[in-house]
Amino acid sequence: MRPTLCKTALLASFIALSAPLSAADNGLIAIITPSHDNPFFKAEADGAAAKAKALGYTTLVASHDDDVNKQNQLIETAIARKAKAIILDNAGADATVGPLEKAKAAGVPAFLIDREINKTGVAVAQIVSNNYQGAQLGAEKFAKLLNGKGKYVELLGRQSDTNAHVRSQGYHDVLDDYSDMQMVAQQTANWSQTEAFNRMEAILQTNPDIAGVISGNDTMALGAEAALKAAGKTNVIVVGFDGSDYVRDSIINKGNIKATVLQPGWQQAQMAVEQADYYLKNGKAQKEEKQLMDCVLIDDSNASKLKVFNLSK
């Protein structure tokens, strides 16, 4: 069992990751996301922090690293610091409900991005990408790239993350209609590049003739691509999901990755801060709690316009 972090040490790390505090401002906004090693989550944190600063708030920025205990203590820290609001990309759809109920009771409203929780009325807003719509876009492109036939592999995200299941369902509601496409392996790589690399290495031992890999996120797509390159499989097609700059570069440079699906993480994070600001100033929500943002297919036709999870006109 993972040891519980000392609250004093956790508070110190939270402050160390934060923007400098100033005396004259509209108050403190806590921004908590998964690991900033993943460029999508870093973009979320940076986008939220930039918008908060522009609106006159100071920020506490930290990562829960998909550790529920760490997330809960970070939320407690935000409450103790009398944060005006919490912007959160959560560590678990069920496990996050209790801590947010505690924050709500303490008068600290929460605005969720990227991942939903399994209860309404706890957060003021849940702003998420339309993962099902985006997954269907990715699956349609994947099938087209494979000419509707061949063996393929699916890499799944973290089992506790609702997005992993929604994306997989969206993929299969398209791909299962192609009778000449056969999924020969479906494995969880927990959104991790390293795990995806290892999973692909093992899969290739028993399925050396695969034609494609469809991945639940870009980080796993990059791990799969690295394993394919190491095995000399440069013709195997990979499709991801997120819209990272690293995958953009693979598309432009004609690597294994041919497409991804952009979920507008930067824009979501900024919207969450804007809605928090509205709520704090008006005492009511600006929009309904559940908000879906459509995703955009990224391929060689528009990859050059993609930067930091934002597509320029």
Side-chain angles (χ1 to χ4, degrees):
M1 187 173 180
R2 191 177 298 181
T4 302
L5 292 171
C6 169
K7 289 186 179 181
T8 303
L10 186 60
L11 177 58
S13 65
F14 202 176
I15 294 172
L17 283 169
S18 307
L21 301 180
S22 61
D25 72 302
N26 290 330
L28 183 66
I29 289 182
I31 300 164
I32 307 169
T33 71
S35 173
H36 297 177
D37 289 342
N38 183 314
F40 179 78
F41 301 131
K42 185 177 188 305
E44 286 184 330
D46 290 347
K51 180 58 69 174
K53 182 179 179 181
L55 292 173
Y57 295 91
T58 53
T59 59
L60 289 175
V61 181
S63 167
H64 54 59
D65 298 322
D66 281 307
D67 181 324
V68 171
N69 291 328
K70 185 175 180 181
Q71 171 186 264
N72 296 350
Q73 291 191 27
L74 289 171
I75 292 171
E76 288 182 9
T77 299
I79 295 169
R81 292 295 303 272
K82 301 187 184 304
K84 296 293 185 181
I86 295 171
I87 309 297
L88 175 66
D89 190 342
N90 74 80
D94 292 313
T96 304
V97 173
L100 288 188
E101 288 177 331
K102 184 175 181 179
K104 182 179 180 180
V108 183
F111 298 79
L112 306 188
I113 53 176
D114 182 42
R115 302 171 179 175
E116 297 176 283
I117 56 172
N118 290 332
K119 189 172 183 179
T120 58
V122 179
V124 176
Q126 300 193 51
I127 307 170
V128 301
S129 300
N130 191 338
N131 284 281
Y132 183 80
Q133 170 260 350
Q136 289 198 308
L137 287 178
E140 288 164 0
K141 181 67 176 181
F142 185 64
K144 184 176 180 180
L145 288 165
L146 266 64
N147 295 315
K149 60 185 178 181
K151 297 178 180 179
Y152 74 94
V153 171
E154 181 185 8
L155 293 177
L156 299 167
R158 192 178 298 274
Q159 292 293 324
S160 63
D161 188 341
T162 305
N163 290 348
H165 301 282
V166 173
R167 291 176 191 175
S168 183
Q169 186 64 53
Y171 288 157
H172 285 280
D173 283 351
V174 172
L175 298 179
D176 291 354
D177 288 340
Y178 286 85
S179 58
D180 291 332
M181 291 183 68
Q182 179 188 4
M183 184 175 70
V184 294
Q186 181 188 53
Q187 294 192 19
T188 298
N190 292 307
W191 304 131
S192 165
Q193 185 167 339
T194 301
E195 287 192 44
F197 180 89
N198 293 335
R199 296 286 184 275
M200 278 306 307
E201 274 198 324
I203 290 169
L204 287 171
Q205 295 299 313
T206 53
N207 296 281
D209 57 344
I210 60 169
V213 179
I214 192 161
S215 172
N217 78 344
D218 280 353
T219 306
M220 296 187 299
L222 289 165
E225 180 181 52
L228 290 166
K229 285 182 176 178
K233 305 286 186 180
T234 56
N235 292 325
V236 175
I237 290 167
V238 180
V239 169
F241 197 118
D242 276 344
S244 74
D245 288 357
Y246 294 111
V247 162
R248 172 205 63 197
D249 293 343
S250 179
I251 294 170
I252 291 172
N253 294 321
K254 303 189 183 305
N256 288 84
I257 302 175
K258 303 301 182 186
T260 185
V261 176
L262 170 64
Q263 54 168 341
W266 179 278
Q267 188 179 354
Q268 280 179 13
Q270 295 217 322
M271 282 177 58
V273 175
E274 289 170 350
Q275 291 184 31
D277 180 62
Y278 181 94
Y279 181 86
L280 294 171
K281 290 176 178 175
N282 296 279
K284 62 181 181 179
Q286 186 178 21
K287 297 185 178 181
E288 67 275 12
E289 179 180 341
K290 291 289 190 81
Q291 301 169 46
L292 283 177
M293 296 181 68
D294 279 349
C295 301
V296 179
L297 180 71
I298 303 295
D299 57 17
D300 57 4
S301 70
N302 60 357
S304 62
K305 299 178 182 178
L306 179 66
K307 185 175 182 181
V308 194
F309 302 96
N310 194 32
L311 192 64
S312 62
K313 301 296 185 182

